[in-house]
Amino acid sequence: MDMGSSITAYDLPERVASYDADMEIMHPNRAKMVEIALQVLPFAPDSTVSALDLGAGTGYFTERFLLRYPVANIIAIDGAEAMVELAKTRLGALAGKVDFRIGDFRRLGRLVANAEEFDVVYSSYALHHMNRADKLEVIKQALELVKTGGWFLNADLIGAERPEIEKRIQEIRVEGIVERARGKDARFADATSTRAFLDELEASEGDQPLSLLEDLQVLTEAGLQKPAVFWKEFREAVTGGMK
Ligand SMILES: C[S@@+](CC[C@H](N)C(=O)[O-])C[C@H]1O[C@@H](n2cnc3c(N)ncnc32)[C@H](O)[C@@H]1O
């Protein structure tokens, strides 16, 4: 992801498409995970659900949310202005229904100071960029903003508990990426180039996924009683629950 550079209007749609193409290769479960999170929500499709997207990025989850809940009120936060531009491009006419706020979600209170409580706070592939302490604080603040009976849902990366298992899961991950790229992308030509690309990407983005057990512990400490795992495969999970 190129979050820092300025973006000229003409190439915005191409950038959304190329971001999605990369996500399809690197995280083919994203659509499934977002679908599962949406399925968990019990609200009627025509209800004016109020929601907060933490780390909206190019707006994939928020778009899916609006397609399911067309009259939802959504605040979407992201720290990168360039990503918000991509999200607006993806959403097109739907963008007008979203209140985008650019800023660090570690300052959540300030970013949503004037907002009412939310029916749901959701996030995809964003919270693993934080260390445990920050993640706990952000989720704690987020839960304070959720109505009693509302939901917190996170579709995100996790690490394995044991290094041997992590190593095997990483091998499976790299094999999958090379296979899906089908020799059409130099970054993913083989296992070596793919590993090098992923290592560089993860270092630049400051990835620090916790294990599933640690994530559940963080959710519990943040105030979510008996958090649930709605879906899991290898190094990705949908977790959360009802406040
Ligand atoms: C990998 S992208 C995922 C975006 C999107 N939710 C998706 O599923 O495609 C992670 C996003 O989180 C944002 N992000 C990471 N840390 C952040 C922080 N502390 N405050 C605000 N946004 C943050 C990044 O700018 C980026 O757009």
Side-chain angles (χ1 to χ4, degrees):
M1 268 174 298
D2 179 9
M3 301 187 316
S5 62
S6 65
I7 294 181
T8 41
Y10 69 87
D11 68 3
L12 284 168
E14 285 85 345
R15 283 194 180 225
V16 173
S18 109
Y19 180 87
D20 280 350
D22 277 5
M23 285 300 279
E24 270 305 303
I25 289 177
M26 289 191 284
H27 298 290
N29 286 323
R30 178 174 65 158
K32 175 80 183 169
M33 291 161 76
V34 166
E35 184 53 36
I36 296 269
L38 287 170
Q39 258 182 293
V40 168
L41 297 175
F43 310 111
D46 60 351
S47 53
T48 48
V49 183
S50 59
L52 174 66
D53 183 350
L54 297 176
T58 64
Y60 179 80
F61 201 153
T62 282
E63 182 188 44
R64 305 311 304 172
F65 199 97
L66 275 171
L67 291 174
R68 185 172 174 112
Y69 296 110
V71 291
N73 294 312
I74 303 180
I75 294 181
I77 293 178
D78 203 280
E81 199 169 347
M83 295 298 268
V84 171
E85 288 309 309
L86 294 177
K88 287 179 180 167
T89 303
R90 176 197 295 285
L91 286 161
L94 291 177
K97 299 186 172 196
V98 180
D99 178 352
F100 286 101
R101 301 200 183 174
I102 296 163
D104 190 329
F105 49 53
R106 287 173 294 185
R107 314 271 174 277
L108 196 53
R110 210 179 303 162
L111 278 171
V112 296
N114 56 345
E116 303 278 309
E117 287 186 318
F118 298 98
D119 293 302
V120 52
V121 174
Y122 60 84
S123 182
S124 60
Y125 293 97
L127 303 185
H128 70 276
H129 293 297
M130 288 183 290
N131 63 34
R132 189 191 196 282
D134 284 348
K135 196 186 237 187
L136 173 60
E137 195 48 41
V138 168
I139 296 176
K140 207 170 166 184
Q141 285 181 39
L143 281 169
E144 280 166 14
L145 298 167
V146 174
K147 293 175 190 170
T148 303
W151 293 80
F152 178 86
L153 292 164
N154 183 30
D156 206 0
L157 299 179
I158 50 170
E161 295 290 339
R162 282 175 49 181
E164 308 89 314
I165 305 290
E166 179 66 26
K167 182 170 176 288
R168 183 60 198 129
I169 288 176
Q170 288 291 341
E171 287 165 359
I172 295 167
R173 173 193 186 198
V174 167
E175 280 163 21
I177 292 174
V178 173
E179 199 177 302
R180 284 186 293 279
R182 291 182 289 144
K184 291 178 179 163
D185 188 326
R187 297 169 301 173
F188 310 128
D190 56 31
T192 307
S193 65
T194 301
R195 188 69 262 166
F197 175 81
L198 294 175
D199 287 346
E200 201 179 317
L201 181 71
E202 287 167 8
S204 75
E205 294 194 344
D207 282 15
Q208 38 198 326
L210 301 178
S211 72
L212 182 57
L213 291 178
E214 287 170 320
D215 261 352
L216 294 176
Q217 187 64 41
V218 165
L219 285 173
T220 308
E221 283 175 36
L224 199 66
Q225 277 184 31
K226 298 190 191 302
V229 181
F230 296 106
W231 179 94
K232 178 193 182 293
E233 187 185 284
F234 296 129
R235 56 189 299 278
E236 294 171 319
V238 180
T239 55
M242 195 203 282
K243 181 169 165 184

